[in-house]
Amino acid sequence: MTDSTEMIAGVPQGRLRAMATREAARFARMRPLSRAALDAGAAHYLDRVPMHWMKDWPNPFPMVVARAKGARLVDLDGNRVDDFCLGDTGSMFGHSPRPVAKAIRKQARRGLTYMLPTKAAMQAGALLSDRFGEFQWQIATTATDANRFALRVARAVTGRRKVLVFNGCYHGTVDDAMVELDQGRTVTRPGLVGQVTDLTETAVAAEFNDLDSVRKALEAGDVAAILTEPVMTNSCMVLPAEGFHAGLRRLATEFGALLIIDETHTISSGLGGYTRVHGLDPDIFVVGKCVAGGMPTAVWGLRPAVAQAFQRYDAERAAGHSGMGTTLSANPMQFACLKATLSKVMTEDNYAHMERGAARLHAGLAEAVARHRAPWHVVRVGARVEFICAPGPLRNGTEAKAAHIHEVEATVHAALLNRGCLIAPFHNMMLVSPATGDDQIDRLVAAFDAVLAELFDPSET
């Protein structure tokens, strides 16, 4: 087959599409039981799956998992897979860490939810402060909820209505974060299902790493909070420029806005997250996903001064529903898992193992990119590694969006999975867990190298 002359991320289009077709057929041949199970249950689910993004894996149909342990999955057809997606950070410390599994079994005999605190809840609060710093904590079920509640607090104590977010940001499904820049103007993101309000009335977007654009947005005097990840994730990863976070802190203070740091993905950075590793100083801190070892849990914390300001507001507000909190949040199972994770899983030793493994993975992937002269680059934040199908480094969300090339990424993802390596479906993220071995890392590097050889140097394959 003759390669098309059109190039996509440095790859001839015809060669790319031939690989995509071949890998899709291979995936289907390897998983007849998965397909049969999906077909048997599909009629009962909207879009044939229990959550719509399960369709977003770059395969003819989702892989049906039979079991997972540590950093490996086994599907319904018996295919063993090295898992570098790890539930898109939810299982960053591995599937079913032993202390967490033990805590679940123990708490299951005592009840699952009862809207009252436990001794473990009190102990977990002290552990949270020890890990992340001096905050007054609250518990939620998802980081989306935690961010939403944090924004309510910020608006309450500042008396302002808007939140500043960064173009291309990720903060779960918080409505206020669903804006972007269009030729320098904040607009509601296209494609939002059932969107009926103009989100620009309560949000303004700026470019990551651009303090001038942040200052311009804050000068209006209506911004209650800056909500940001320390590193832009969930598309193509963008690292902060030197001085950017210090600048955010200065600007927030100067203009009377609160600084909210969302560590839901950057908890991979090290013990205490990017905030503690790099000495950031947020007014409000949010983290979710893996904080309780995979049990749906998120936490949000207020610096003491912000907590006191909110308590004064709360004492004077009209009686009625606060719009914060959900019935199953702060349940005893969450606290059992939170305590086990913070005390026995989220440890210096485990992070050291993750850092070493991620450095090994980063080096191996970067070497493969260089060897095949791919116009790509590789980036790492702690245990989180990404290859990006464009030259780098990237500076902001606009550049990240342009570098997110679905056709190339989907083909590489599918080819890696057929070679026994699973990475995150929505971008090119890979995580190294405490359970991930060098043999697994080396298999992923070898698989990536083989895929690049087919794409860039077919004469070698």
Side-chain angles (χ1 to χ4, degrees):
M1 177 177 181
T2 302
D3 290 333
S4 166
T5 56
E6 182 178 350
M7 306 291 282
I8 306 176
V11 181
Q13 185 182 68
R15 194 181 305 167
L16 181 70
R17 292 182 175 172
M19 174 182 275
T21 300
R22 184 175 67 251
E23 297 297 341
R26 181 182 176 189
F27 175 91
R29 287 196 304 272
M30 293 171 66
R31 292 173 173 84
L33 297 181
S34 286
R35 170 172 269 170
L38 288 165
D39 288 344
H44 305 287
Y45 286 110
L46 179 67
D47 288 334
R48 297 173 58 86
V49 288
M51 177 60 77
H52 66 88
W53 42 246
M54 291 179 178
K55 300 185 306 178
D56 291 346
W57 295 88
N59 305 305
F61 51 86
M63 178 175 66
V64 178
V65 177
R67 62 187 183 276
K69 182 64 178 175
R72 287 187 173 87
L73 298 173
V74 181
D75 70 13
L76 207 58
D77 293 271
N79 297 298
R80 294 171 59 83
V81 177
D82 293 325
D83 187 6
F84 291 88
C85 173
L86 294 170
D88 196 13
T89 311
S91 292
M92 187 182 78
F93 297 111
H95 296 288
S96 299
R98 188 181 299 275
V100 177
K102 182 178 179 181
I104 290 172
R105 289 193 298 269
K106 185 176 181 180
Q107 184 59 47
R109 295 192 293 267
R110 299 177 175 179
L112 302 181
T113 188
Y114 27 77
M115 290 186 69
L116 289 166
T118 61
K119 185 177 180 180
M122 302 299 101
Q123 294 167 330
L127 288 167
L128 284 168
S129 294
D130 181 63
R131 283 287 177 265
F132 300 116
E134 188 180 6
F135 296 94
Q136 299 289 298
W137 298 100
Q138 288 283 275
I139 310 301
T141 300
T142 70
T144 292
D145 284 342
N147 281 317
R148 188 179 292 122
F149 303 154
L151 287 176
R152 280 191 174 271
V153 169
R155 287 172 169 138
V157 301
T158 64
R160 300 173 178 181
R161 64 187 285 115
K162 284 193 174 181
V163 56
L164 185 155
V165 296
F166 289 103
N167 185 37
C169 66
Y170 175 73
H171 300 289
T173 55
V174 175
D175 281 357
D176 304 83
M178 297 296 178
V179 294
E180 65 182 24
L181 288 176
D182 181 6
Q183 298 182 345
R185 184 173 60 94
T186 301
V187 298
T188 299
R189 287 185 184 179
L192 296 176
V193 174
Q195 186 64 42
V196 295
T197 58
D198 180 1
L199 296 178
T200 65
E201 295 180 2
T202 55
V204 59
E207 283 286 18
F208 197 75
N209 283 327
D210 184 349
L211 291 174
D212 287 340
S213 72
V214 174
R215 175 177 286 276
K216 182 178 179 181
L218 293 177
E219 284 174 343
D222 57 357
V223 172
I226 300 169
L227 173 61
T228 185
E229 302 173 90
V231 175
M232 289 196 72
T233 69
N234 216 58
S235 178
C236 293
M237 194 155 63
V238 180
L239 301 178
E242 185 176 355
F244 177 66
H245 282 297
L248 283 184
R249 178 66 274 174
R250 287 194 303 270
L251 288 171
T253 301
E254 178 182 348
F255 289 96
L258 299 183
L259 178 59
I260 306 174
I261 296 291
D262 179 0
E263 291 260 17
T264 299
H265 282 158
T266 54
I267 188 64
S268 66
S269 301
L271 194 64
Y274 197 99
T275 293
R276 174 153 278 186
V277 171
H278 295 275
L280 306 190
D281 184 23
D283 298 298
I284 305 178
F285 179 93
V286 174
V287 65
K289 291 202 176 184
C290 66
V291 72
M295 176 62 63
T297 306
V299 302
W300 56 284
L302 309 178
R303 289 293 192 198
V306 179
Q308 291 167 11
F310 178 64
Q311 287 167 344
R312 290 192 296 270
Y313 166 89
D314 199 38
E316 297 173 359
R317 72 179 175 89
H321 201 297
S322 67
M324 297 162 57
T326 56
T327 303
L328 295 179
S329 292
N331 67 64
M333 186 62 80
Q334 286 178 310
F335 282 116
C337 295
L338 189 60
K339 177 186 172 185
T341 301
L342 293 171
S343 62
K344 299 178 180 179
V345 179
M346 192 182 289
T347 64
E348 289 184 6
D349 286 347
N350 277 343
Y351 268 111
H353 175 94
M354 294 157 68
E355 284 270 358
R356 286 193 300 270
R360 184 187 187 98
L361 176 58
H362 179 274
L365 298 180
E367 183 180 340
V369 167
R371 178 165 50 252
H372 298 290
R373 298 182 179 88
W376 301 2
H377 72 288
V378 184
V379 64
R380 177 170 81 92
V381 174
R384 184 185 183 100
V385 181
E386 293 186 13
F387 66 86
I388 297 172
C389 303
L394 306 176
R395 294 173 297 177
N396 54 46
T398 297
E399 291 186 1
K401 182 177 181 180
H404 188 50
I405 305 170
H406 175 74
E407 186 174 0
V408 178
E409 294 171 357
T411 302
V412 175
H413 292 195
L416 291 176
L417 180 54
N418 284 339
R419 288 158 177 80
C421 304
L422 183 72
I423 70 173
F426 315 114
H427 38 97
N428 304 317
M429 189 275 292
M430 296 152 282
L431 283 165
V432 173
S433 78
T436 306
D438 286 351
D439 58 333
Q440 294 177 284
I441 293 168
D442 292 345
R443 280 196 293 270
L444 175 54
V445 169
F448 183 73
D449 183 74
V451 172
L452 262 59
E454 283 198 51
L455 291 176
F456 291 98
D457 305 299
S459 62
E460 296 181 9
T461 60

